[in-house]
mmCIF file with all atom_site columns, all heavy atoms in Angstrom:
data_model
loop_
_atom_site.group_PDB
_atom_site.id
_atom_site.type_symbol
_atom_site.label_atom_id
_atom_site.label_alt_id
_atom_site.label_comp_id
_atom_site.label_asym_id
_atom_site.label_entity_id
_atom_site.label_seq_id
_atom_site.pdbx_PDB_ins_code
_atom_site.Cartn_x
_atom_site.Cartn_y
_atom_site.Cartn_z
_atom_site.occupancy
_atom_site.B_iso_or_equiv
_atom_site.pdbx_formal_charge
_atom_site.auth_seq_id
_atom_site.auth_comp_id
_atom_site.auth_asym_id
_atom_site.auth_atom_id
_atom_site.pdbx_PDB_model_num
ATOM 1  N N   . THR A 1 199 ? 3.571  -71.817 -41.361 1.00 0.00 ? 203 THR A N   1
ATOM 2  C CA  . THR A 1 199 ? 4.916  -71.714 -40.784 1.00 0.00 ? 203 THR A CA  1
ATOM 3  C C   . THR A 1 199 ? 5.387  -73.119 -40.437 1.00 0.00 ? 203 THR A C   1
ATOM 4  O O   . THR A 1 199 ? 4.657  -73.879 -39.791 1.00 0.00 ? 203 THR A O   1
ATOM 5  C CB  . THR A 1 199 ? 4.914  -70.853 -39.509 1.00 0.00 ? 203 THR A CB  1
ATOM 6  O OG1 . THR A 1 199 ? 4.436  -69.550 -39.824 1.00 0.00 ? 203 THR A OG1 1
ATOM 7  C CG2 . THR A 1 199 ? 6.316  -70.750 -38.920 1.00 0.00 ? 203 THR A CG2 1
ATOM 8  N N   . VAL A 1 200 ? 6.585  -73.476 -40.868 1.00 0.00 ? 204 VAL A N   1
ATOM 9  C CA  . VAL A 1 200 ? 7.140  -74.796 -40.562 1.00 0.00 ? 204 VAL A CA  1
ATOM 10 C C   . VAL A 1 200 ? 7.617  -74.786 -39.116 1.00 0.00 ? 204 VAL A C   1
ATOM 11 O O   . VAL A 1 200 ? 8.470  -73.974 -38.746 1.00 0.00 ? 204 VAL A O   1
ATOM 12 C CB  . VAL A 1 200 ? 8.303  -75.140 -41.516 1.00 0.00 ? 204 VAL A CB  1
ATOM 13 C CG1 . VAL A 1 200 ? 8.834  -76.540 -41.213 1.00 0.00 ? 204 VAL A CG1 1
ATOM 14 C CG2 . VAL A 1 200 ? 7.865  -75.022 -42.966 1.00 0.00 ? 204 VAL A CG2 1
ATOM 15 N N   . ILE A 1 201 ? 7.059  -75.700 -38.294 1.00 0.00 ? 205 ILE A N   1
ATOM 16 C CA  . ILE A 1 201 ? 7.370  -75.637 -36.860 1.00 0.00 ? 205 ILE A CA  1
ATOM 17 C C   . ILE A 1 201 ? 8.221  -76.796 -36.350 1.00 0.00 ? 205 ILE A C   1
ATOM 18 O O   . ILE A 1 201 ? 8.916  -76.662 -35.353 1.00 0.00 ? 205 ILE A O   1
ATOM 19 C CB  . ILE A 1 201 ? 6.082  -75.534 -36.016 1.00 0.00 ? 205 ILE A CB  1
ATOM 20 C CG1 . ILE A 1 201 ? 5.143  -76.696 -36.328 1.00 0.00 ? 205 ILE A CG1 1
ATOM 21 C CG2 . ILE A 1 201 ? 5.392  -74.201 -36.250 1.00 0.00 ? 205 ILE A CG2 1
ATOM 22 C CD1 . ILE A 1 201 ? 3.917  -76.722 -35.432 1.00 0.00 ? 205 ILE A CD1 1
ATOM 23 N N   . HIS A 1 202 ? 8.180  -77.955 -37.014 1.00 0.00 ? 206 HIS A N   1
ATOM 24 C CA  . HIS A 1 202 ? 9.027  -79.056 -36.560 1.00 0.00 ? 206 HIS A CA  1
ATOM 25 C C   . HIS A 1 202 ? 9.130  -80.146 -37.630 1.00 0.00 ? 206 HIS A C   1
ATOM 26 O O   . HIS A 1 202 ? 8.336  -80.196 -38.573 1.00 0.00 ? 206 HIS A O   1
ATOM 27 C CB  . HIS A 1 202 ? 8.506  -79.666 -35.251 1.00 0.00 ? 206 HIS A CB  1
ATOM 28 C CG  . HIS A 1 202 ? 7.077  -80.111 -35.301 1.00 0.00 ? 206 HIS A CG  1
ATOM 29 N ND1 . HIS A 1 202 ? 6.649  -81.208 -36.018 1.00 0.00 ? 206 HIS A ND1 1
ATOM 30 C CD2 . HIS A 1 202 ? 5.965  -79.607 -34.708 1.00 0.00 ? 206 HIS A CD2 1
ATOM 31 C CE1 . HIS A 1 202 ? 5.358  -81.366 -35.869 1.00 0.00 ? 206 HIS A CE1 1
ATOM 32 N NE2 . HIS A 1 202 ? 4.898  -80.397 -35.091 1.00 0.00 ? 206 HIS A NE2 1
ATOM 33 N N   . LYS A 1 203 ? 10.119 -81.009 -37.447 1.00 0.00 ? 207 LYS A N   1
ATOM 34 C CA  . LYS A 1 203 ? 10.353 -82.143 -38.341 1.00 0.00 ? 207 LYS A CA  1
ATOM 35 C C   . LYS A 1 203 ? 10.203 -83.417 -37.537 1.00 0.00 ? 207 LYS A C   1
ATOM 36 O O   . LYS A 1 203 ? 10.748 -83.532 -36.440 1.00 0.00 ? 207 LYS A O   1
ATOM 37 C CB  . LYS A 1 203 ? 11.753 -82.053 -38.943 1.00 0.00 ? 207 LYS A CB  1
ATOM 38 C CG  . LYS A 1 203 ? 12.115 -83.233 -39.855 1.00 0.00 ? 207 LYS A CG  1
ATOM 39 C CD  . LYS A 1 203 ? 13.541 -83.080 -40.368 1.00 0.00 ? 207 LYS A CD  1
ATOM 40 C CE  . LYS A 1 203 ? 13.913 -84.249 -41.280 1.00 0.00 ? 207 LYS A CE  1
ATOM 41 N NZ  . LYS A 1 203 ? 15.318 -84.127 -41.777 1.00 0.00 ? 207 LYS A NZ  1
ATOM 42 N N   . HIS A 1 204 ? 9.449  -84.393 -38.041 1.00 0.00 ? 208 HIS A N   1
ATOM 43 C CA  . HIS A 1 204 ? 9.312  -85.660 -37.331 1.00 0.00 ? 208 HIS A CA  1
ATOM 44 C C   . HIS A 1 204 ? 8.819  -86.738 -38.292 1.00 0.00 ? 208 HIS A C   1
ATOM 45 O O   . HIS A 1 204 ? 8.565  -86.469 -39.474 1.00 0.00 ? 208 HIS A O   1
ATOM 46 C CB  . HIS A 1 204 ? 8.369  -85.527 -36.135 1.00 0.00 ? 208 HIS A CB  1
ATOM 47 C CG  . HIS A 1 204 ? 6.939  -85.290 -36.504 1.00 0.00 ? 208 HIS A CG  1
ATOM 48 N ND1 . HIS A 1 204 ? 6.446  -84.041 -36.805 1.00 0.00 ? 208 HIS A ND1 1
ATOM 49 C CD2 . HIS A 1 204 ? 5.881  -86.150 -36.615 1.00 0.00 ? 208 HIS A CD2 1
ATOM 50 C CE1 . HIS A 1 204 ? 5.146  -84.133 -37.068 1.00 0.00 ? 208 HIS A CE1 1
ATOM 51 N NE2 . HIS A 1 204 ? 4.785  -85.394 -36.962 1.00 0.00 ? 208 HIS A NE2 1
ATOM 52 N N   . SER A 1 205 ? 8.694  -87.936 -37.760 1.00 0.00 ? 209 SER A N   1
ATOM 53 C CA  . SER A 1 205 ? 8.217  -89.067 -38.559 1.00 0.00 ? 209 SER A CA  1
ATOM 54 C C   . SER A 1 205 ? 6.859  -89.510 -38.040 1.00 0.00 ? 209 SER A C   1
ATOM 55 O O   . SER A 1 205 ? 6.588  -89.451 -36.836 1.00 0.00 ? 209 SER A O   1
ATOM 56 C CB  . SER A 1 205 ? 9.199  -90.239 -38.482 1.00 0.00 ? 209 SER A CB  1
ATOM 57 O OG  . SER A 1 205 ? 10.453 -89.870 -39.032 1.00 0.00 ? 209 SER A OG  1
ATOM 58 N N   . LEU A 1 206 ? 6.006  -89.960 -38.944 1.00 0.00 ? 210 LEU A N   1
ATOM 59 C CA  . LEU A 1 206 ? 4.673  -90.438 -38.583 1.00 0.00 ? 210 LEU A CA  1
ATOM 60 C C   . LEU A 1 206 ? 4.405  -91.727 -39.344 1.00 0.00 ? 210 LEU A C   1
ATOM 61 O O   . LEU A 1 206 ? 4.362  -91.728 -40.573 1.00 0.00 ? 210 LEU A O   1
ATOM 62 C CB  . LEU A 1 206 ? 3.616  -89.384 -38.930 1.00 0.00 ? 210 LEU A CB  1
ATOM 63 C CG  . LEU A 1 206 ? 2.170  -89.743 -38.582 1.00 0.00 ? 210 LEU A CG  1
ATOM 64 C CD1 . LEU A 1 206 ? 1.987  -89.829 -37.068 1.00 0.00 ? 210 LEU A CD1 1
ATOM 65 C CD2 . LEU A 1 206 ? 1.209  -88.710 -39.164 1.00 0.00 ? 210 LEU A CD2 1
#
Side-chain angles (χ1 to χ4, degrees):
T203 301
V204 182
I205 56 174
H206 55 71
K207 178 182 180 181
H208 68 277
S209 297
L210 181 67

